[in-house]
Amino acid sequence: MAAPPLVDSFGRIHDNLRVSVTDRCNIRCFYCMPETNVQFVRRAEILDFEEIERFVRVAVSLGITKLRVTGGEPLVRRDLPALIRRLAAIPEIQDLALTTNGVLLPELAAPLYEAGLRRLNVHLDTLDRERFLRITRRDDLGRVLLGLEAAKRVGYARIKLNAVAVKDLVEPDIVPLARYARENGFEARFIEFMPLDAQNLWDRSKVLTADEIIAMLSREIAPLVPVPDPDPRAPASEYEYADGGGRVGFIASVTKPFCGNCNRIRLTADGKLRYCLFALEETDVKALMRAGAADEEIASLLRRTVAGKWEGHAINSAKFVAPPRPMYSIGG
Ligand code: SAM
Ligand code: SF4
């Protein structure tokens, strides 16, 4: 008999797991990492591939069917294709995806595809070299574009472009990025800037909102209409160009929180389980595993963590407290 699903006290069923495989990164986006003196977890504290696969298999036995590999920058993790091969071989996983900044995709798009990966989200905020440098503090735009070409050539099914929407900065990038996505068969996704940066730069006035971007694209490219039958549990609101030019997604975590439909849990690279991106508490999977726990004990920790999940983040209230971990150390 199948195990009962992972359900929290608000009745939300959890079938979506995000696993961070490293907190390291080869670029330094200002809304995520500090520029210098980044504190990385020691290598011995990072889960190895056996531990990750074991945890994923336990989670799958409790109803997880969607898995996203993330980081830090997952492609800097040595032998990542070997991990992907292991995860792709788990038959219950219906959807395996990876989020990357694309810098190492020229070399890794093909090996990852051969290992069984079919879905990619590539982080790209701008097509302007100067602004790319300003945002990421690295001069790697050319490599990301080459990586996207490589991914397209290899045959990935659905490539999405993740762009962080920061006010008074990326406005000139919105339309060129959306056009580039349309021309290449990619789906642009705009993510409202969230209070998860390492330097506490966030404030509400720095969020370029989904509504503002929708207005811009509708005016400059073609009217955008909501997709009629969206997946109610997906974080992105999906829109379609009225001229048939494809889709655009919006992750409006700040202006239109979607906590009521949340189905996601996260495992950090150092083996901590989090029920929310913004959670202020976490449970220690790694300590349990390394103490020799049986699968049932890990399953029980998973159930308890989900059962204790809060109703949602409180970005829009005075009582909001940013989590102590910035984005790169949680896994976006
Ligand atoms: N390094 C990979 C990348 O950049 O795609 C994977 C990890 S990154 C933390 C995952 C996603 O988080 C990125 O696509 C980026 O767009 C998003 N992100 C990072 N910091 C953010 C912030 N403060 N607000 C909103 N999105 C953010
Ligand atoms: Fe690295 Fe991704 Fe964070 Fe940018 S958003 S610094 S690419 S982990």
Side-chain angles (χ1 to χ4, degrees):
M1 206 178 67
L6 277 169
V7 63
D8 70 12
S9 64
F10 302 92
R12 295 172 295 196
I13 293 174
H14 289 65
D15 60 2
N16 191 320
L17 170 66
R18 297 184 176 219
V19 173
S20 171
V21 294
T22 181
D23 61 344
R24 287 160 203 258
C25 188
N26 43 5
I27 61 176
R28 293 284 181 275
C29 307
F30 76 86
Y31 42 68
C32 179
M33 279 198 167
E35 184 165 11
T36 52
N37 297 324
V38 191
Q39 300 298 315
F40 294 117
V41 171
R42 287 189 305 120
R43 281 180 203 279
E45 300 305 322
I46 299 283
L47 294 187
D48 64 28
F49 288 175
E50 281 72 26
E51 290 169 324
I52 293 174
E53 182 186 349
R54 180 176 178 213
F55 179 78
V56 170
R57 285 187 180 272
V58 171
V60 159
S61 76
L62 302 180
I64 293 292
T65 57
K66 299 187 178 79
L67 181 64
R68 176 171 296 278
V69 173
T70 183
E73 173 47 37
L75 303 198
V76 305
R77 176 85 191 241
R78 198 182 313 152
D79 290 337
L80 185 71
L83 175 66
I84 295 294
R85 193 174 299 282
R86 286 168 175 240
L87 300 176
I90 302 175
E92 294 86 350
I93 295 178
Q94 294 157 11
D95 184 18
L96 173 63
L98 177 116
T99 304
T100 172
N101 63 28
V103 172
L104 293 174
L105 263 187
E107 295 82 7
L108 285 168
L112 288 167
Y113 189 88
E114 280 155 25
L117 186 69
R118 292 293 177 272
R119 285 226 298 120
L120 272 181
N121 283 39
V122 180
H123 173 191
L124 179 63
D125 298 321
T126 177
L127 296 171
D128 178 88
R129 186 173 166 192
E130 285 305 312
R131 222 158 17 250
F132 187 96
L133 183 61
R134 201 169 137 201
I135 293 171
T136 68
R137 296 131 163 175
R138 296 290 185 276
D139 190 12
D140 279 327
L141 174 62
R143 287 192 56 82
V144 179
L145 297 178
L146 282 176
L148 278 162
E149 275 171 36
K152 204 170 142 180
R153 217 172 28 246
V154 169
Y156 283 91
R158 298 169 64 194
I159 301 177
K160 295 183 181 170
L161 302 184
N162 285 357
V164 181
V166 184
K167 198 153 195 146
D168 296 329
L169 178 65
V170 300
E171 285 85 344
D173 299 304
I174 301 292
V175 171
L177 255 185
R179 283 196 206 282
Y180 167 79
R182 268 165 65 104
E183 284 157 15
N184 285 281
F186 304 143
E187 181 179 323
R189 287 155 66 95
F190 296 96
I191 308 174
E192 289 179 346
F193 179 24
M194 294 184 267
L196 291 168
D197 59 294
Q199 293 165 287
N200 293 320
L201 300 170
W202 185 91
D203 73 59
R204 180 168 300 277
S205 70
K206 299 197 179 87
V207 181
L208 181 62
T209 69
D211 282 347
E212 289 172 295
I213 299 174
I214 291 169
M216 243 183 242
L217 297 181
S218 294
R219 195 171 57 237
E220 304 282 332
I221 301 184
L224 279 174
V225 288
V227 169
D229 195 14
D231 173 358
R233 300 193 331 144
S237 327
E238 298 274 339
Y239 283 69
E240 274 168 355
Y241 291 107
D243 68 356
R247 286 189 178 192
V248 190
F250 298 91
I251 303 191
S253 322
V254 178
T255 59
K256 292 177 190 145
F258 34 82
C259 305
N261 290 322
C262 186
N263 61 349
R264 289 173 294 283
I265 47 173
R266 298 178 139 82
L267 184 68
T268 66
D270 58 340
K272 306 294 190 311
L273 189 60
R274 299 174 62 81
Y275 55 61
C276 175
L277 203 43
F278 296 94
L280 300 173
E281 54 182 349
E282 45 193 31
T283 46
D284 197 342
V285 173
K286 183 183 65 190
L288 201 59
M289 278 189 184
R290 293 191 179 172
D295 285 357
E296 294 70 38
E297 291 172 78
I298 297 166
S300 158
L301 181 75
L302 241 162
R303 283 200 186 288
R304 281 200 310 278
T305 306
V306 172
K309 179 163 174 157
W310 63 13
E311 192 171 5
H313 67 67
I315 295 181
N316 294 308
S317 90
K319 59 177 194 212
F320 176 72
V321 180
R325 285 178 185 261
M327 190 61 131
Y328 72 93
S329 133
I330 299 172

